[in-house]
Amino acid sequence: MSRAGKFLRDNGLTLVFGLLFLGALVGQALTGHAMAIEERVENGFEPVSLGRYLTSSEFAVDVAENWQSEYLQFSLFIVATIWLVQRGSPESKRPSQIGRESDEKQIVGAHAEPDSPKWVRAGGWRTALFSRSLGLTMLAVFLVSWTAQYIAGRSAYNADQLVAFQDPASWAEYLFSADFWNRTLQNWQSEFLAIASMAILSVYLRQRGSPESKPVGAPHAVTEESG
């Protein structure tokens, strides 16, 4: 197999979903632009160009509100599964393994292997930071996305307020506004439902060949086993 072929095979999951993401984002941009033109024409305004729409707060808030909810889902799930379990789900650890686990099981410090990441063998703050790097990165992306939603959402909200000859909202007013929390909570509830559904449905249902599922013949009570 050629080097390019090996790269595509070894990174297929990331590449395919990356392309799906780009395709969906382009589709959102085009359909959102069409809707923006329709709304402006109906209200007696000039149509907006695609370039201007892509740099508008209207587009930014729609993108950011979806991103923040997805990364909130992952950051919460990563941390919650340290301490919480769902017996029989491949998404969960065994009940006997609740907690941060031993250095030996985590291959940390004296138990690090020759090809372990350098910071695992370094000890001190570097090992501590690396040990939490996935959750912290997901949390950071969530906070950045949520902040972007807040900033862009206020701008879009105030634009609508001015069109309706209403007073614009201050930063504090928008933070506690129904618009901000409606945008936020309508995404959060779907992410929480998805996690709960995946955790419990994977106890009783199977998908042959997927690591997100137990082996087809595995008993329902078996936990932390993928097929």
Side-chain angles (χ1 to χ4, degrees):
M1 181 180 291
S2 67
R3 180 176 298 181
K6 186 174 184 299
F7 175 82
L8 292 174
R9 183 202 65 187
D10 292 349
N11 298 280
L13 193 60
T14 299
L15 292 172
V16 167
F17 277 91
L19 290 173
L20 288 173
F21 159 71
L22 291 176
L25 186 62
V26 170
Q28 179 187 354
L30 295 177
T31 55
H33 178 232
M35 288 179 61
I37 291 176
E38 184 178 333
E39 290 176 1
R40 282 166 171 76
V41 170
E42 287 179 354
N43 290 311
F45 295 102
E46 289 291 325
V48 64
S49 68
L50 178 60
R52 186 168 182 180
Y53 172 72
L54 293 178
T55 57
S56 69
S57 58
E58 184 178 357
F59 178 68
V61 69
D62 287 342
V63 172
E65 71 181 54
N66 286 292
W67 288 16
Q68 60 88 5
S69 63
E70 295 296 338
Y71 281 95
L72 174 66
Q73 173 192 160
F74 284 120
S75 58
L76 286 179
F77 189 69
I78 289 166
V79 175
T81 50
I82 298 172
W83 306 102
L84 303 178
V85 299
Q86 174 58 60
R87 185 177 179 85
S89 175
E91 303 296 319
S92 168
K93 297 190 295 187
R94 297 184 179 91
S96 61
Q97 296 176 338
I98 290 176
R100 296 172 59 248
E101 303 179 352
S102 67
D103 285 355
E104 181 178 5
K105 180 165 179 64
Q106 288 293 312
I107 321 175
V108 173
H111 304 283
E113 298 176 350
D115 57 350
S116 294
K118 291 182 179 180
W119 279 30
V120 172
R121 302 192 301 271
W125 67 269
R126 286 176 291 183
T127 298
L129 179 61
F130 186 75
S131 299
R132 298 163 176 81
S133 56
L134 181 59
L136 289 173
T137 299
M138 292 293 184
L139 179 61
V141 177
F142 158 66
L143 292 174
V144 170
S145 300
W146 199 24
T147 300
Q149 177 199 325
Y150 169 59
I151 294 171
R154 175 179 176 267
S155 179
Y157 177 79
N158 283 341
D160 291 338
Q161 288 290 93
L162 293 173
V163 169
F165 301 103
Q166 300 291 324
D167 292 333
S170 66
W171 291 105
E173 288 172 339
Y174 185 69
L175 180 61
F176 294 101
S177 70
D179 182 82
F180 175 68
W181 285 104
N182 179 60
R183 286 181 177 275
T184 294
L185 294 174
Q186 69 177 330
N187 286 281
W188 286 8
Q189 54 87 15
S190 63
E191 304 304 335
F192 298 154
L193 175 62
I195 290 177
S197 299
M198 185 65 179
I200 191 63
L201 290 177
S202 61
V203 176
Y204 302 103
L205 305 178
R206 307 288 188 270
Q207 182 59 57
R208 185 168 185 156
S210 173
E212 299 304 312
S213 168
K214 294 183 290 189
V216 176
H220 292 324
V222 171
T223 310
E224 199 197 27
E225 180 177 330
S226 63

